Amino acid sequence: MDLRQHRKLIIIDNAISYTGSMNMVDPRYFKQESGVGQWIDMMVRMEGYASSMLGIIYACDWELETGEILAPTIPEKDSFDFDFAREHNIHAIASGPGYPEELIHQALLTAVYAAREQLIMTTPYFVPSDDLLHAICTAAQRGVDVKIILPAKNDSLMVGWASRTFYTELLEAGVKIYKFHGGLLHTKSVLVDRQVSLVGSVNLDMRSLWLNFELTLVVDDIEFGEQLAHLQQTYMMSAEKLTYDEWQQR
């Protein structure tokens, strides 16, 4: 009863695919009664072998729910009508019951510990594990420019309270916290040194990391990283930076 299929995945002809944070709802009308404004999301469009890889994940989900076995095919390279010279390095990580444990959690920890200059994270729900919290604080303490962008208003009152219990430790470590005022920031993204990106359906909370069926893309590519950095910058332009003194006066 407590399991959740949280992946967001569209596959077209086993050659074009979309994944990210957006549910199949109109953000102008979704959960307007919660008073958080329009939901703000990001989706990634892919072509080629990455789509076939996601097709295999979808086939596993379909078999789990229906018992029907799909046999996704891997197209020949010549059948793809796109520029291979502009290929990006993409790895898809699926998680959930029946999958190897802690894969996405391990990927997150590895990415955070690998940061040398900058780490930017966006998530609507921030309730990290002790290991992830320690990794984030340690990155800031060793001189990494760590920024976390969270929605100023949250549709889950309990999660909003839970997130704020970590603010003191984060701010004391030197982490910069931004409160986004342009709606419910629902984008889930991690950018390391403007090159390694983690994007998908995973919130930085225990449910996503340990229980849900989730999907994260790890993209090792400077061009993609620059695009994600630009998007995250637009979020920060609509956000208010929380200072340690302000937090102490709450």
Side-chain angles (χ1 to χ4, degrees), residues 36 123-124 149-155 160 164 167 178-185 238-240:
V36 296
T123 182
I149 312 169
L150 305 169
K153 295 181 179 180
N154 202 297
D155 66 313
R164 288 192 285 273
Y167 283 7
Y178 290 83
K179 298 187 294 181
F180 180 79
H181 288 281
L184 182 76
L185 182 61
S238 298
E240 171 192 1

Side-chain angles (χ1 to χ4, degrees), residues 58-125:
Y58 176 82
C60 293
D61 291 341
W62 185 262
E63 181 180 356
L64 179 66
E65 292 296 330
T66 69
E68 179 185 358
I69 298 176
L70 302 179
T73 58
I74 308 299
E76 296 294 332
K77 183 173 182 177
D78 294 340
S79 68
F80 290 130
D81 184 22
F82 71 99
D83 185 3
F84 269 88
R86 299 185 65 250
E87 241 183 354
H88 302 284
N89 295 316
I90 302 174
H91 185 72
I93 306 178
S95 69
Y99 287 80
E101 292 185 1
E102 303 181 34
L103 284 181
I104 293 179
H105 189 238
Q106 290 176 13
L108 276 168
L109 289 175
T110 300
V112 173
Y113 279 119
R116 293 295 175 265
E117 297 178 2
Q118 187 181 65
L119 173 66
I120 305 176
M121 316 176 86
T122 70
T123 182
Y125 312 116

Side-chain angles (χ1 to χ4, degrees), residues 126-141:
F126 184 75
V127 189
S129 65
D130 290 341
D131 290 340
L132 184 55
L133 179 66
H134 177 73
I136 293 170
C137 291
T138 300
Q141 289 167 343

Side-chain angles (χ1 to χ4, degrees), residues 6 26 38 46 54 65 67 75 93 136 158 164 188 193 201 213 230:
H6 198 240
D26 189 327
Q38 183 169 319
M46 292 160 287
L54 297 183
E65 292 296 330
I93 306 178
I136 293 170
M158 294 296 289
R164 288 192 285 273
K188 303 91 161 54
D193 295 338
S201 64
F213 291 92
H230 176 74

